[in-house]
Amino acid sequence: MHPIVLTMLKTLPHKDVVLLGIGHTNAHLLRMWRMHPPRGARLTCISDEPVATYSGMLPGVLAAQYPPERMEIDLARLTAAAGARLVIGGVTGLDLEARTLIFDDRLPLRFNVLSIGIGSMPAFDGVRVGDGARLLQIKPMQRFFARLDERLRRALADRADAAIRIAIVGGGAGGVEVALCLPAHLKRRLGRDVRFDLTVVTADERLPTGSLPQTARRVERILTGRSARLLKGRRVVEVEGPVLSLDDGTVVEADVIVWATAAAPPPLLARLGLPTDARGFLLTHDTLQTTSGAPVFAVGDTGTIAGASTPKAGVYAVRQGPVLWDNIQRTLSAAPLRRYAPQRKFLRLLNTGDGRAIGEWRGWSFEGAWVWRLKDAIDTRFMEQYQAR
Ligand SMILES: Cc1cc2nc3c(=O)[nH]c(=O)nc-3n(C[C@H](O)[C@H](O)[C@H](O)COP(=O)(O)OP(=O)(O)OC[C@H]3O[C@@H](n4cnc5c(N)ncnc54)[C@H](O)[C@@H]3O)c2cc1C
């Protein structure tokens, strides 16, 4: 072979790394690739949307503290800067033997290493949904505000002069922050005099789930101080139009039902033919590699480490980023993989929508304008890594 052809062949990428879903963990890999592209490898990113969103700032957008673009990552720009390909498309399956991802609208895509991080959906376990027209899921977050405003517009038309009834189902960090920040959005969109009733339904006794008792007291004080009705220790068992039936016989009527329950697996995961946990999330070793034995990783909410009880939360997805980056490089060079150890404690910060926030850290609960400034600084710094030009 001619020496020039030989040199060209040597420098051409011969390993394909593919990221399916650009959430908190895979986005870190993309950022690192931009700074240190591995030799001889090509990166392809697949997303269902042209932008990725950061849930930590969604409540701030809701409270009009940020414009929507502050929570968005422009994937075309980020992939271009990293020299990666971006595919906006619908993956429908995985051929593990052929090492290809299958699409409904394009040719299969080959990979040598794959990382799947498509997040999660809110759970509907044990809930009968008849007429679900008033249901509003937060995900996909990219279109949450358009869907919310459309639902509010209809509610306003239906209710004439009566108060708009809003129910938030789910008392995790997401549901609580939406409950705290939604009033500011309603006033901005529908006028300062808008009348609304807010009800929060949670299966747990504490708001947010798993928080310290002092934190829950702070959250409940603020919500009840804003006239919200809190229905704790109860589950919604049926949704029929505006009627929510709870397991204790309580009936709640709502024009807008924000569904923010615990994480459930996106339906695509069941079609990939990979090992799953009992709920349907992809089962991994503590290296984040799936237990399939193939060079396929599952990260963020999408993966469950066998034997670990790590909650589905963004803070864990973020910390997995450096381990994934390391392990993908190790896979490319056939080196042993590194283990990921989930952090035991993390700083929890809740935006209260009024220039203040509630926080907890290692058994301490605190609150104030300085907590909001801390949250703003952390989130802004995080997003600057992905938005810097
Ligand atoms: C309002 C709100 C507030 C929250 N606050 C906190 C908090 O304070 N702290 C915390 O730890 N957690 C919080 N969470 C939970 C946190 O958002 C999730 O745990 C986190 O987003 C999980 O990250 P991920 O990367 O796994 O998934 P995601 O961030 O959901 O990213 C998945 C990506 O994959 C894309 N995708 C989905 N399906 C496909 C597909 N089929 N093909 C291609 N791409 C696809 C999505 O568009 C998305 O960009 C909050 C959630 C909400 C809704």
Side-chain angles (χ1 to χ4, degrees), residues 94-168:
L94 169 71
D95 184 338
L96 213 48
E97 221 164 283
R99 300 271 197 271
T100 52
L101 278 170
I102 301 156
F103 292 78
D104 55 2
D105 54 356
R106 53 174 287 142
L107 291 172
L109 186 78
R110 209 184 137 271
F111 64 84
N112 296 97
V113 190
L114 170 67
S115 171
I116 306 171
I118 59 170
S120 59
M121 312 274 292
F124 280 91
D125 300 343
V127 184
R128 197 194 76 81
V129 180
D131 169 6
R134 289 164 185 78
L135 278 175
L136 185 69
Q137 298 184 29
I138 298 177
K139 293 189 178 181
M141 281 185 271
Q142 290 93 336
R143 277 172 281 127
F144 173 66
F145 287 94
R147 290 181 287 116
L148 171 65
D149 289 344
E150 171 59 14
R151 189 90 284 291
L152 287 174
R153 202 182 52 73
R154 283 171 192 247
L156 200 62
D158 290 349
R159 296 292 289 164
D161 290 335
I164 297 177
R165 301 159 303 179
I166 297 171
I168 294 169

Side-chain angles (χ1 to χ4, degrees), residues 20-25 46-49 52-53 55 58-59 89 117-119 138-139 141-142 173-174 177-178 268 299-302 312-315 317 349:
L20 174 58
I22 312 301
H24 294 66
T25 320
I46 307 167
S47 177
D48 57 346
E49 300 276 349
T53 44
S55 61
L58 183 137
I118 59 170
I138 298 177
K139 293 189 178 181
M141 281 185 271
Q142 290 93 336
E177 282 195 292
V178 169
L268 174 62
V299 293
D301 284 3
T302 295
K312 303 289 179 197
V315 286
L349 296 170

